[in-house]
Amino acid sequence: MSGNEAPLTFEQNWGLWKGAFLRPDGRVVDTLQSRASHSEGQGYGLILAACAGDRAAFDLIQGWTFRTLMVRDSDRLFAWRWQANVGIEDRNNATDGDLLIAWGLCLGAQRFGAAHLKDLAALIVQDIILHTIVADPRGGKHYVMRPGVVGFDREDGLLVNPSYYVFPALYELSQTFELPILSQLANDGLQLLADMSQTGLPLDWCVLTRDGYVADTQKSRHFGYEGMRIPLYLAMAGMSGHPAVRRVATLWQHSLKPSTPFPTVIDPVTFATRETSHEPGYAGMASHVLCALGQSVPPPRFVADQSYYPATLHLLAISGAGITLKGCA
């Protein structure tokens, strides 16, 4: 952002995002994935609309989400992926999407004074607890979160995605509904990330076994597109001092320079960069995380002329949904 350009307000940035990624029927479009829609994106949309005070967009997003994705017979969770000309491609849920939707509903209830939204969130949270929170295979009185209801139990343990722990959502939902199991789940997730950060970076995917955790051989073994959300979620929950944030920050701070590509996939052991991107949203998100650490790194101007994912992470970082990130724009 040049010194001659006045920063846009969050509401103006939201308008740009909405014009690029929100369809008139309330569907949030992932422009890099064949214009598919996911429960995750619908949840992000609800959160951002609530932060912008845009009740009309919020209602559109909620309507499409419930009408189109709440199709599972045995619970009130959401099918995770929808594709034009196909419809629902997979009826399994994605637990982070469910958390984001429930949190977005609670934010909407607060912003718009609509108590029924909180009631809807309560039903979702009940089924998240019932179907996705299980005992940690490593033993002790600890919990872990299945990434989805089915397909993640392995013979030797449980496949886990640490980036699915949306920490601000877990803590707020725990307090809102007086459900200490959610805060305990979050605390156990913090410890898992601390363990990973002792010598390396958090993994996108790992298998928890009785003996600890190992990188998954079938999915990403790196700190990549999924894991990069972890420092953002931690900072939004007021935990910018967590070891995972500080370790990642030491890598990010060297990449936030003009014309320097952002490292999107990093080897968690050697810290070697495997992939990079010039899309500004990644650097925008990272600059706000560094701001929460007290480091002054001018963020790039928010632009919607990029892919859905980096644009969304950047806007989420400046949304005000996380108290610690306010004022870092």
Side-chain angles (χ1 to χ4, degrees):
M1 183 185 303
S2 71
N4 297 325
E5 292 180 304
L8 298 180
T9 66
F10 176 75
E11 288 74 18
Q12 289 172 316
N13 287 328
W14 159 250
L16 295 174
W17 186 95
K18 184 171 61 170
F21 307 112
L22 181 63
R23 294 295 172 262
D25 60 357
R27 182 169 78 90
V28 176
V29 175
D30 188 331
T31 51
L32 269 186
Q33 296 199 37
S34 304
R35 310 191 78 78
S37 295
H38 305 96
S39 58
E40 165 208 278
Q42 299 303 120
Y44 285 143
L46 288 174
I47 293 164
L48 296 171
C51 290
D54 190 340
R55 180 65 186 270
F58 185 97
D59 287 346
L60 284 173
I61 296 167
Q62 183 207 334
W64 189 91
T65 304
F66 277 70
R67 184 173 63 251
T68 309
L69 301 183
M70 189 175 269
V71 295
R72 294 169 53 82
D73 297 329
S74 58
D75 54 52
R76 289 155 293 195
L77 305 178
F78 298 87
W80 78 279
R81 181 176 172 88
W82 184 94
Q83 179 64 61
N85 301 320
V86 177
I88 298 295
E89 286 192 318
D90 189 343
R91 296 174 71 91
N92 199 15
N93 72 307
T95 308
D96 68 327
D98 300 323
L99 280 172
L100 291 166
I101 291 169
W103 186 29
L105 291 170
C106 284
L107 292 174
Q110 298 166 13
R111 184 66 185 263
F112 306 124
H116 74 283
L117 297 174
K118 180 179 174 182
D119 295 336
L120 292 175
L123 297 175
I124 298 168
V125 170
Q126 288 175 14
D127 279 342
I128 289 173
I129 293 173
L130 180 62
H131 296 290
T132 73
I133 299 179
V134 296
D136 192 321
R138 296 172 296 174
K141 296 181 179 180
H142 301 292
Y143 295 110
V144 294
M145 184 172 66
R146 284 191 180 109
V149 173
V150 298
F152 299 94
D153 293 292
R154 300 283 179 84
E155 291 184 5
D156 56 344
L158 179 69
L159 181 62
V160 172
N161 186 321
S163 77
Y164 278 31
Y165 286 73
V166 188
F167 291 104
L170 287 168
Y171 286 118
E172 184 163 333
L173 293 170
S174 175
Q175 182 176 11
T176 297
F177 298 114
E178 298 182 356
L179 293 168
I181 189 174
L182 294 179
S183 58
Q184 182 178 344
L185 174 70
N187 291 340
D188 292 339
L190 292 176
Q191 185 57 56
L192 173 62
L193 290 171
D195 293 343
M196 289 183 174
S197 302
Q198 286 184 7
T199 57
L201 297 172
L203 299 166
D204 281 348
W205 291 89
C206 66
V207 178
L208 296 183
T209 72
R210 290 182 299 176
D211 300 321
Y213 68 88
V214 294
D216 181 59
T217 58
Q218 300 177 31
K219 294 183 177 289
S220 170
R221 303 169 58 89
H222 297 103
F223 173 78
Y225 292 98
E226 304 210 48
M228 68 169 63
R229 299 176 291 186
I230 292 170
L232 174 61
Y233 290 156
L234 288 168
M236 291 176 70
M239 297 174 180
S240 56
H242 189 278
V245 181
R246 294 193 172 276
R247 185 170 286 279
V248 173
T250 60
L251 299 174
W252 281 353
Q253 64 187 356
H254 299 297
S255 303
L256 300 184
K257 299 176 182 177
S259 302
T260 300
F262 187 81
T264 51
V265 179
I266 304 173
D267 188 292
V269 178
T270 67
F271 306 134
T273 297
R274 302 301 187 191
E275 293 182 25
T276 62
S277 173
H278 283 281
E279 296 200 90
Y282 295 123
M285 176 269 297
S287 69
H288 286 275
V289 173
L290 293 178
C291 176
L293 277 168
Q295 301 181 32
S296 179
V297 181
R301 189 181 185 90
F302 176 82
V303 295
D305 186 18
Q306 59 180 318
S307 302
Y308 148 84
Y309 188 55
T312 302
L313 293 182
H314 190 180
L315 193 59
L316 186 65
I318 60 177
S319 67
I323 293 174
T324 59
L325 298 183
K326 291 180 180 177
C328 291

